[in-house]
Amino acid sequence: MARRLNLRQVEAFKAVIEYGTVSRAAEMMNISQPAMSKLIAHLEEDTALQLFDRVKGRLVLTRRGMRLYEEIDRIFAGVRQVENAVEAIRRDEQSRLLIGVMPALSGAFIREATTRFLARQPGVLCSVQSRSSQWIADGLVTRKLDVGFTVAPIDNPYIVSEPLMAHPLVCILPLDHPLTEKSVITPQDLDGTAFISFDPESFTSRRIGQVFDAHGVAPEIVMVVSISPTLCEFVAAGIGVSLVHPSAVGGLRGKVAIRAFEPAVQLDFQLCRIRDSRNARLVDAFLDGAREAAAEISRTILTPSGA
C-alpha cells in the first residue's frame, strides 16, 4: 500500500526536473547527491509509480512522472499566488489609512490634519468616513478603521484615547437676536428661547440637557439636527440659538454671533486608535498631523465675546 508523501520528496522531484540533473538539484537544495537520489527513490516507492527511467546513469522523466510534475507545478503556482496575495495585502495595509471622523470635525480640521499627513507620507491612500461616534468606535474595535475622532472617550481596553481641542461650548445666535447685546449667555437667558438642539441621544445634547435641568430652565426646542455644520447654518438663518463647540462655527464666523456661555460646559473631542494598530507607523504620523491641526485651530478660535 502506498505511503503518505512528504513535502521534501516532492521538492526534490520538482528540483530534479527543473535543474536537469540530480547533482545540480542537490546543490540547489543544499543536500548531498546521495541524499537527493534517496529522496527520489523513496518518492517512487511511496507512490508506487515509476517516475523516471534510468538511461546511461541519467534520470529521464516518464509519462507518469510528467503528469505528476504538471500537477505539482500547478499546486506550487497556487502557493505562489497566495504569497503574492499576502504581499499585496501587506502593501495595501502599509499604504492605506482608514479614518473615521465625527461630522463636527469633518470640515477644516480633518482637511488640515490629512493635508499635513500627506505632505509627509506621499502616496498613502487616505479613506475618510464621516459618521457617528458609535459607528467610529465599532469600526476601531473591528479594525475597519485605523484612527477615529469622536465626541466622547471610547470605553474599551483595546482603544487608546486622548483629548483634542478641549474648549467650553459657546452660544451662537442669529446676528439680529436680542441676546447679542449680552457678552455672556446664561441658562436663564435661554429659558423659553427658540433653541436648535442636537439629537437627544447624542453626548453633546445630554451634556447640555444636564446643565438646563440643573438650572431649572427649558428652552423651546424648535429643531433637532444631528451634525454641527447643519445646526450652525440654521442658526445663521435665524431659526434659533444653540450651544456648540467653537470649532464647529468654522466658515460661518461673521454670519452668526458668538457669545461665552456660563457655567462653562467643557467638551473634549477624542483622538482614538487601536492599541496594537496594524498600521502603527502611519497612524503615528497621522496623529502628529492631527495634533498640529488641532493646536492651530485652537489658536484661531476667537474668544466668544463678539460677533
Side-chain angles (χ1 to χ4, degrees):
M1 180 177 178
R3 293 176 295 186
R4 186 179 298 275
L5 306 183
N6 66 65
L7 182 59
R8 194 64 169 166
Q9 292 172 345
V10 173
E11 290 175 334
F13 173 68
K14 188 171 184 290
V16 168
I17 297 172
E18 293 179 352
Y19 292 107
T21 66
V22 172
S23 59
R24 178 61 175 158
E27 180 183 347
M28 297 306 298
M29 291 185 63
N30 198 29
I31 61 175
S32 67
Q33 185 171 331
M36 175 65 77
S37 298
K38 195 171 185 180
L39 284 171
I40 297 300
H42 285 170
L43 177 63
E44 289 185 311
E45 181 182 347
D46 292 346
T47 59
L49 296 174
Q50 183 177 346
L51 303 175
F52 294 97
D53 288 325
R54 278 69 179 172
V55 180
K56 297 181 180 180
R58 296 177 59 88
L59 296 181
V60 179
L61 197 61
T62 64
R63 181 180 60 82
R64 285 183 169 182
M66 177 56 71
R67 287 182 60 188
L68 180 61
Y69 172 74
E70 290 173 349
E71 190 65 23
I72 290 171
D73 188 58
R74 183 184 65 79
I75 294 170
F76 271 75
V79 172
R80 287 192 294 271
Q81 288 180 342
V82 172
E83 292 172 344
N84 292 338
V86 168
E87 181 60 26
I89 292 170
R90 184 179 296 114
R91 287 198 308 269
D92 183 55
E93 290 186 350
Q94 290 173 343
S95 61
R96 288 184 65 194
L97 196 67
L98 309 177
I99 305 159
V101 58
M102 56 178 295
L105 296 177
S106 62
F109 165 75
I110 198 63
R111 182 189 68 239
E112 183 64 23
T114 306
T115 300
R116 288 172 182 266
F117 168 73
L118 291 176
R120 298 165 184 167
Q121 301 287 337
V124 176
L125 174 64
C126 290
S127 172
V128 180
Q129 296 280 338
S130 179
R131 304 289 286 272
S132 70
S133 290
Q134 185 57 55
W135 186 91
I136 293 169
D138 293 341
L140 286 167
V141 172
T142 57
R143 299 182 182 273
K144 294 177 182 177
L145 294 174
D146 295 307
V147 61
F149 299 93
T150 66
V151 73
I154 298 172
D155 185 17
N156 186 291
Y158 298 105
I159 296 179
V160 180
S161 301
E162 66 178 81
L164 191 75
M165 286 192 292
H167 292 281
L169 298 180
V170 295
C171 184
I172 57 174
L173 313 96
L175 292 177
D176 59 354
H177 197 281
L179 287 176
T180 57
E181 296 180 1
K182 302 191 64 171
S183 60
V184 177
I185 306 299
T186 67
Q188 287 73 22
D189 294 324
L190 301 182
D191 192 26
T193 301
F195 189 87
I196 302 175
S197 172
F198 287 105
D199 188 308
E201 296 303 314
S202 72
F203 178 80
T204 304
S205 184
R206 292 198 301 270
R207 289 286 303 279
I208 294 171
Q210 290 168 358
V211 174
F212 288 160
D213 291 343
H215 288 81
V217 301
E220 181 188 355
I221 306 299
V222 294
M223 182 174 289
V224 175
V225 300
S226 59
I227 59 175
S228 298
T230 302
L231 182 147
C232 293
E233 289 285 354
F234 280 119
V235 171
I239 304 301
V241 307
S242 194
L243 298 176
V244 297
H245 189 281
S247 67
V249 181
L252 288 177
R253 292 181 182 277
K255 297 182 180 180
V256 296
I258 306 172
R259 298 291 184 268
F261 181 81
E262 293 181 0
V265 182
Q266 191 75 10
L267 183 64
D268 301 350
F269 293 120
Q270 299 291 318
L271 185 160
C272 307
R273 62 178 295 174
I274 288 292
R275 189 176 297 278
D276 58 342
S277 173
R278 63 190 174 185
N279 255 348
R281 180 181 63 84
L282 292 182
V283 169
D284 286 341
F286 183 82
L287 296 188
D288 286 342
R291 295 184 188 103
E292 293 170 4
E296 181 64 27
I297 289 175
S298 292
R299 284 192 293 270
T300 61
I301 289 176
L302 302 176
T303 300
S305 58

